[in-house]
């Protein structure tokens, strides 16, 4: 496996952060009913890991990551998985990036809704 130098990581994080590494970016991951739970958990993990790597390099954390939902808890995968949300959708004032998770087992038809979208 080839080592990726810090310059490349800095470029990638800079691009994601809108070319500004000095200001923390707010990431909202939507907790939607019919969501594939792994797409919520994995998205959160990627940004949390990025913060850990930055901290290990003596830099400030770049991302504030929050799972957003209509209620404080979302039960998915036929009751097998429970996702605790950080904020309710009406509590968000501003976010820099919204991540919409992959959805499972539904076919959208006119007049249907997906969670709080």
């Amino acid at each position: 496996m080839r080592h990726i130098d810090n310059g490349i990581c800095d470029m990638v994080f800079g691009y994601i952060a809108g070319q500004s590494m000095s200001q923390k970016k707010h990431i909202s991951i939507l907790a939607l009913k019919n969501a594939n739970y792994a797409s919520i958990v994995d998205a959160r993990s990627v940004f949390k890991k990025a913060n850990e790597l930055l901290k290990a390099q003596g830099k400030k954390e770049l991302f504030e990551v929050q799972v957003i939902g209509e209620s404080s808890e979302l039960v998915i995968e036929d009751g097998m998985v429970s996702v605790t949300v950080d904020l309710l959708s009406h509590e968000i004032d501003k976010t820099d990036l919204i991540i919409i998770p992959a959805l499972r087992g539904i076919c959208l038809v006119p007049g249907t809704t997906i969670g709080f979208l």
Side-chain angles (χ1 to χ4, degrees):
M1 181 187 282
R2 193 173 147 212
H3 175 72
I4 298 176
D5 66 71
N6 290 343
I8 293 172
C9 290
D10 287 344
M11 283 184 353
V12 171
F13 290 143
Y15 177 78
I16 291 171
Q19 308 306 321
S20 173
M21 296 279 293
S22 61
Q23 197 170 29
K24 193 178 260 194
K25 299 298 179 182
H26 186 266
I27 312 294
S28 296
I29 303 170
L30 301 183
L32 304 172
K33 58 184 175 183
N34 295 322
N36 176 314
Y37 75 93
S39 63
I40 295 171
V41 173
D42 290 349
R44 183 179 179 276
S45 296
V46 165
F47 288 102
K48 292 287 190 176
K49 188 63 171 180
N51 279 339
E52 287 176 26
L53 293 171
L54 287 168
K55 219 171 170 182
Q57 295 175 5
K59 299 177 182 178
K60 289 191 272 182
E61 291 183 350
L62 186 56
F63 305 107
E64 178 183 355
V65 184
Q66 293 182 310
V67 177
I68 310 301
E70 283 187 307
S71 61
S72 60
E73 183 178 59
L74 174 69
V75 179
I76 52 180
E77 299 293 338
D78 299 321
M80 292 181 60
V81 177
S82 174
V83 176
T84 303
V85 303
D86 299 310
L87 282 176
L88 300 178
S89 57
H90 68 272
E91 297 174 324
I92 295 288
D93 291 327
K94 176 186 178 288
T95 192
D96 296 300
L97 177 66
I98 298 172
I99 296 178
I100 301 171
L103 302 175
R104 64 171 188 86
I106 63 168
C107 179
L108 293 179
V109 293
T112 62
T113 61
I114 306 171
F116 63 90
L117 283 182

